[in-house]
Amino acid sequence: MTDAAPIDLRSDTVTRPGESMREAMAHAPVGDDVYGEDPTTNELEERVAELLGHEAGLFTPSGTLANMLGVRTLVEPGTELIADSLAHVVRAEMGGHAVLGGVTTRTWTSPGGVFRAAEPLGMMVPDGGSYSVSTAAVAIENTHNFAGGLVADIEELRSLRAGTSDAAVAVHLDGARLANASVASGVSLREYGELADSVSICLSKGLGAPVGSVLVGSAERIARARIMRKRYGGGMRQCGILAAAGLYALDNNIDRIADDHENAALIARTVAGVAPGVVDPDSVATNIVMLKVGTGGPDGITAAQFAADAADRGVLMSVLSPTTVRLVTHLDVSAEQAKASAAILAELATTAG
Ligand SMILES: *Cc1c(COP(=O)(O)O)cnc(C)c1O
């Protein structure tokens, strides 16, 4: 290990609130949010709903809960949600949609992680009658985490919206990193938001707040989600302390996401410069970089070994598979740190490619 604090690229969830965010939290007006009396939480919910072009919002302790509530308002037990096979809703929410919501799922695959509306549109069964499970909703993820932070094409999203509307199938947008998508594409949060019936967005990823997500939808849908949130144990009391961090993030941390994207691109370019097989810089659209390191077989260095070597040099990352590591840039990684980690990773990659 080096003496300096490690550069933590495991996820954009590792950010810590700075002084001014803490200041905003410390002075937030609060009340009991289960009674609907927390002014700061109410303000956050209204702000995010407005930003995403929906009637109402609901503050949740996690993105997983926001997704579970959004999906459950769209999908009755025993009907189905269809999603990409690498979607967070099907891979990383601990089966909560099935266990707590009775939601069944089918998945499509996206070559190269690129979203194509034709996949879900071609497999939905809007009215399964008395034989097949009926499709109630399609979930999309933008940006797509396990596909390397790719941004879904707005025209594909529009054609998904048109095709699902015709079939009376709903759309849930897992927008954990929707701010990254918006900053990268120039498409507004509202344009994305209006193409779905429910949308979740994380405050605790690129936006840099310590806790929380917001789910938005129609007033009626959010009222139902509010009841379910309490049922699942997610009713919070003076959570304005946390909501204040979210409001601070909306005011201060959206535009700066462009820096994270530049840092990710710099790392990808530097590594590709010496080991082109390890990463294609053109595949880096936002703040996530996937590195392919070796075959994972007897001759290639494994991703776990690569990550361990990088950790020894002071760069932390996530191991996603025997051949893939993931790096995520964020608010607490400076341009200098990105440069320093790029140099270290490039050196390691020349032996691992
Ligand atoms: C992080 C994330 C979530 C929510 O995660 P929590 O840890 O529960 O807040 C949802 N979807 C995607 C794509 C994510 O990356």
Side-chain angles (χ1 to χ4, degrees):
M1 268 304 214
T2 56
D3 292 338
I7 301 169
D8 196 343
L9 302 173
R10 287 172 302 164
S11 175
D12 46 10
T13 57
V14 302
T15 57
R16 279 168 254 204
E19 269 316 308
S20 33
M21 181 181 276
R22 285 171 192 260
E23 193 69 18
M25 296 170 76
H27 299 293
V30 295
D32 190 326
D33 183 57
V34 172
Y35 295 158
E37 291 173 1
D38 188 289
T40 310
T41 302
N42 291 342
E43 186 187 339
L44 174 71
E45 292 174 343
E46 284 160 25
R47 270 280 294 281
V48 177
E50 166 77 25
L51 256 181
L52 294 170
H54 283 257
E55 280 175 1
L58 183 71
F59 187 40
T60 61
S62 69
T64 296
L65 184 57
N67 281 337
M68 280 183 13
L69 297 176
V71 166
R72 182 59 189 82
T73 65
L74 302 171
V75 182
E76 287 303 309
T79 64
E80 75 180 2
L81 174 76
I82 54 179
D84 181 277
S85 67
L86 297 179
H88 196 278
V89 292
V90 293
R91 283 193 79 201
E93 298 184 357
M94 301 322 188
H97 298 265
V99 173
L100 300 173
V103 171
T104 72
T105 45
R106 275 186 305 142
T107 56
W108 73 84
T109 53
S110 304
V114 177
F115 171 67
R116 287 175 53 246
E119 299 293 344
L121 292 177
M123 69 188 280
M124 16 180 241
V125 182
D127 180 6
S130 58
Y131 187 73
S132 295
V133 174
S134 295
T135 307
V138 174
I140 39 174
E141 190 172 309
N142 196 17
T143 66
H144 193 325
N145 181 351
F146 297 125
L150 293 185
V151 179
D153 182 75
I154 187 73
E155 289 310 327
E156 291 294 322
L157 295 173
R158 289 196 178 111
S159 76
L160 176 74
R161 187 56 161 174
T164 50
S165 299
D166 287 347
V169 168
V171 174
H172 173 74
L173 168 56
D174 176 355
R177 295 186 180 81
L178 196 63
N180 294 83
S182 175
V183 166
S185 66
V187 173
S188 70
L189 290 170
R190 171 178 282 259
E191 281 175 89
Y192 283 130
E194 285 176 345
L195 295 172
D197 299 283
S198 60
V199 186
S200 66
I201 183 166
C202 278
L203 303 167
S204 59
K205 302 258 166 91
L207 293 176
V211 175
S213 280
V214 179
L215 174 73
V216 303
S218 67
E220 178 274 332
R221 182 176 313 290
I222 294 302
R224 284 197 286 136
R226 193 175 292 279
I227 293 168
M228 281 190 274
R229 182 187 65 173
K230 181 76 162 61
R231 179 177 297 138
Y232 290 173
M236 299 178 286
R237 302 295 179 173
Q238 285 72 27
C239 51
I241 299 264
L242 300 172
L247 285 167
Y248 179 92
L250 295 177
D251 287 335
N252 296 284
N253 292 348
I254 294 184
D255 294 343
R256 63 147 306 286
I257 283 177
D259 300 343
D260 299 341
H261 297 176
E262 270 181 44
N263 289 338
L266 171 100
I267 294 172
R269 279 198 312 271
T270 309
V271 173
V274 295
V278 170
V279 60
D280 173 6
D282 289 341
S283 72
V284 177
T286 56
N287 67 329
I288 299 179
V289 183
M290 301 289 208
L291 302 182
K292 277 252 165 275
V293 285
T295 61
D299 300 319
I301 183 171
T302 63
Q305 187 58 51
F306 185 86
D309 292 345
D312 281 343
R313 307 278 306 271
V315 179
L316 309 183
M317 63 190 79
S318 296
V319 177
L320 288 200
S321 79
T323 57
T324 312
V325 295
R326 185 192 69 173
L327 326 174
V328 189
T329 55
H330 52 75
L331 184 57
D332 288 354
V333 177
S334 66
E336 292 69 36
Q337 288 175 313
K339 226 171 144 183
S341 45
I344 290 167
L345 296 173
E347 206 180 308
L348 294 173
T350 49
T351 50

